[in-house]
Amino acid sequence: MSDVSILTLLTNPRVFFESLEERPVSLLMPALFVIVTALISGVSAFQISSIVSKMMPELEGMGPLLGGIGAFSALVMVLLMWVIYTTIFFVISMVFKGQGDFGRLLSYVGYGFFPQAIGALVSLALSWSFISNLRVPSITDPQMIAEWTQSLMKDPSMQLSIAVGLLFLLWTANIWIFGVRTGRKLSTRDAVITVGIPTLLYIAYTIVTMVM
Amino acid sequence: MRSSALLLLFVAAALVTGAGASLPTLPDGFTLPTTTLPSSDGALPTSVVTPIATSPGNQLQVVSTQLDPQVLMRGDRGTLVIDVANTGTAPVRISQATLSADGAVTVEDDPYRTVGVIGAGNRMSFTYSVRAGSPDGIAYPVFSLVVPDGRGLRVPVPVRIDSTGPSVSFIERPDAFTSGRSDLVVLSVGNPRQSSLNGVMVSPRGTGYTAKPTSVFIGELPQNGQARASFNLTPDENATLGFDLVYFNGLNRHVQPIDLSIEYGESKQRAELLLSNFVLEQRGGVYRLTGDITNAGLRSARSVVIAPGREMEPADPYPRYVIGSLEPDDFASFELNFRAADGGPVPLVISYKDDNGDSFEENARASTSVNQTAQGGSASPGEPVPIAWIVLGLVLAAGIGYLIVRSWRR
């Protein structure tokens, strides 16, 4: 077994995961990546949720509470997504007669969150710049709130922030392909299909939501 | 023989019923004071007898009188019930009972041309229908009982007439009506009379208006009582508007018209939205106008929305800007994006609602022209993304693309 640095994960994921095959499964490092991603996403969610309290006069003073609820929800969601992605990849790879246990695949999928953490950081900076300059109107009508929120999503800064998130998701998916290939002992083609289908569906959904 | 026996029986009967007592000897015009005997219920039918205290020497007495309604208004009909008791120890035969008109009160019937005997300790009620005329005041129709021996009873019965109607005032009404807009009108109805009124109801009357509710039923309005009636009135351009106050004094229906003068115009207390602090920028053919909107009026403006005028083509991300509620003396910032072909002041349309939900629309012009553009500053909503962010995005895309391609080469 040869030691490989964590940078190898970004530059040459194939070698990185092949080197891990010789080691026992460890969730420590993957969990660290996932938690860092979850924390950054939580901060972003805190910002967004706080806007709601500014918008509705009756929720004035509840900004920290709403922000906290939003941050906690985002944190739990990222942790769940780790398990959900792994489960989806595990189930799809069963079609291709994939071998390898769920724990090892969970570990490899967790490594894939490393680019996600970087992407979340960049998105946080972009959305911070956007939200800090935002003029929040005082609205009580739900229809007007929905209208205002839709107009926010069409703002170029918000769209750039979403595009950056998708870019890093592509990078993550690339790493997951090699992780699934190694962890479930699949051919490269099968690994691309296993990871590509759910990832492309998610990207398509995000783009449609952004454009509509 | 048979006639002798009858004569003996008559004499015996006369001795037994007389028992040494004599028939009433009150002179004409003698007035007996009203006593406070128990159970002077006005609902008592005539000839209902309630045992009362008797003593030798007493005779007929008016024990109570009752007028329904208690105080008449001009033109009202009322029912006057007079209770008479025989406080003596011998029965009294009454041949006739009459009530004579006095002053403003007329008596409408004379039902007691023959009465009969009122036993000792018994009472009898006499009911008359009276009608009030003018002027207001207290009239004293005289109640007379005629007994066969010429001695009787004459009692003046007080009947009060007060034509004072309910007092109506407007607690709230707009200083000016606007055609097609609803305004709140609140009436206060008070009863300054000395008796209660029933079935009190207020209804709008006139033409060319809609009212909600169509009428307000107050019901009983006690003496010195007060009640309110609220209406949302929406007059048309040539509306005539007033109210009818309907009430009953006893069985008598009265209608009191209440005038409401309508002055059309803009309310002095309306919301007044003023625009200021305009900044106009142009990026890529799209104008971005920011400014402040202030409510300089005395009423709240709800659901305030600002949009570019028809001459302008709205653009994302802010083709319209929703402000929401603006309280008096409150202000908010707004931002609009639009495309404009020519220069000149920027036309704006401000729409809002009042507390009643009526919509208002005002046209305004920004005191800046589309050719007076300034260069933008830092990133803010609706503004094109700064070059630095675009460069960062491209670098990230290139870097990530390179790493992905590289991972597939080895």
Side-chain angles (χ1 to χ4, degrees), chain B residues 39-345:
Chain B
S39 183
S40 58
D41 191 347
L44 281 174
T46 55
S47 301
V48 169
V49 177
T50 304
I52 58 174
T54 60
S55 63
N58 284 350
Q59 285 303 318
L60 296 175
Q61 285 188 12
V62 172
V63 293
S64 70
T65 62
Q66 191 170 21
L67 180 64
D68 181 32
Q70 291 178 348
V71 182
L72 298 173
M73 298 177 80
R74 193 174 306 147
D76 278 2
R77 280 192 175 85
T79 305
L80 180 61
V81 180
I82 302 165
D83 282 349
V84 174
N86 180 359
T87 58
T89 53
V92 176
R93 174 175 295 279
I94 301 169
S95 58
Q96 189 178 4
T98 57
L99 182 69
S100 306
D102 178 68
V105 173
T106 55
V107 181
E108 297 206 313
D109 53 3
D110 183 17
Y112 302 103
R113 292 183 181 278
T114 55
V115 180
V117 176
I118 175 169
N122 287 349
R123 70 168 64 200
M124 185 177 284
S125 295
F126 299 89
T127 305
Y128 292 93
S129 177
V130 295
R131 188 181 181 92
S134 61
D136 288 359
I138 302 176
Y140 295 92
V142 177
F143 175 66
S144 303
L145 287 179
V146 180
V147 296
D149 60 2
R151 293 166 297 179
L153 178 67
R154 282 172 58 85
V155 178
V157 181
V159 174
R160 302 181 64 177
I161 304 171
D162 182 2
S163 299
T164 306
S167 165
V168 181
S169 59
F170 289 98
I171 294 178
E172 187 170 338
R173 56 168 293 179
D175 52 7
F177 282 95
T178 305
S179 175
R181 311 282 184 212
S182 68
D183 281 296
L184 181 66
V185 175
V186 182
L187 293 91
S188 168
V189 182
N191 181 10
R193 295 175 55 77
Q194 294 175 348
S195 60
S196 65
L197 297 173
N198 294 299
V200 180
M201 186 168 71
V202 184
S203 307
R205 65 169 163 78
T207 56
Y209 71 91
T210 58
K212 188 179 178 182
T214 52
S215 65
V216 173
F217 183 75
I218 293 170
E220 183 181 4
L221 199 55
Q223 175 184 348
N224 292 322
Q226 184 259 347
R228 291 186 178 189
S230 301
F231 295 91
N232 270 312
L233 298 176
T234 310
D236 296 337
E237 276 188 16
N238 299 313
T240 58
L241 192 53
F243 293 93
D244 279 338
L245 174 64
V246 181
Y247 59 93
F248 286 84
N249 184 33
L251 297 174
N252 304 283
R253 184 175 186 269
H254 294 265
V255 179
Q256 181 173 325
I258 305 157
D259 291 330
L260 174 64
S261 61
I262 298 182
E263 292 177 11
Y264 289 98
E266 289 190 332
S267 170
K268 294 173 187 171
Q269 297 184 327
R270 72 187 190 281
E272 198 169 345
L273 302 178
L274 301 178
L275 300 174
S276 60
N277 195 22
F278 297 109
V279 176
L280 188 64
E281 298 168 1
Q282 184 185 14
R283 291 285 178 85
V286 175
Y287 288 95
R288 172 175 174 263
L289 175 70
T290 60
D292 294 335
I293 181 168
T294 306
N295 184 0
L298 298 176
R299 292 276 169 88
S300 302
R302 311 284 184 198
S303 306
V304 180
V305 178
I306 304 180
R310 290 177 185 170
E311 301 89 332
M312 306 296 177
E313 180 191 346
D316 286 334
Y318 293 110
R320 293 189 298 160
Y321 197 88
V322 182
I323 300 286
S325 294
L326 266 183
E327 299 298 327
D329 301 332
D330 199 4
F331 81 99
S333 299
F334 70 90
E335 178 174 345
L336 288 173
N337 297 95
F338 56 88
R339 292 182 177 84
D342 302 317

Side-chain angles (χ1 to χ4, degrees), chain A residues 52-196:
Chain A
V52 178
S53 68
K54 290 181 186 174
M55 195 185 309
M56 302 179 77
E58 57 266 32
L59 298 179
E60 195 173 355
M62 295 179 68
L65 177 66
L66 289 175
I69 292 171
F72 180 76
S73 305
L75 199 138
V76 171
M77 197 62 201
V78 172
L79 292 172
L80 273 177
M81 287 305 290
W82 180 20
V83 180
I84 290 170
Y85 273 129
T86 307
T87 307
I88 291 171
F89 296 155
F90 191 85
V91 171
I92 295 177
S93 63
M94 287 170 72
V95 177
F96 304 112
K97 297 185 171 53
Q99 296 172 346
D101 58 55
F102 185 83
R104 183 170 290 277
L105 185 62
L106 186 69
S107 159
Y108 290 178
V109 170
Y111 278 111
F113 274 82
F114 187 17
Q116 287 283 70
I118 302 169
L121 207 57
V122 176
S123 292
L124 175 65
L126 276 170
S127 60
W128 190 287
S129 163
F130 173 71
I131 289 171
S132 59
N133 287 300
L134 196 62
R135 297 164 191 265
V136 181
S138 173
I139 310 175
T140 52
D141 186 356
Q143 189 181 345
M144 289 186 171
I145 291 175
E147 200 172 304
W148 186 77
T149 310
Q150 278 184 348
S151 71
L152 279 188
M153 298 308 290
K154 291 182 178 176
D155 189 275
S157 295
M158 279 300 282
Q159 291 185 338
L160 179 66
S161 174
I162 294 169
V164 166
L166 292 180
L167 199 63
F168 279 91
L169 179 61
L170 278 177
W171 190 6
T172 296
N174 185 63
I175 291 173
W176 280 340
I177 288 171
F178 292 103
V180 170
R181 174 180 174 276
T182 310
R184 294 287 285 164
K185 297 180 177 52
L186 298 177
S187 68
T188 303
R189 184 189 73 97
D190 295 343
V192 168
I193 293 171
T194 302
V195 175

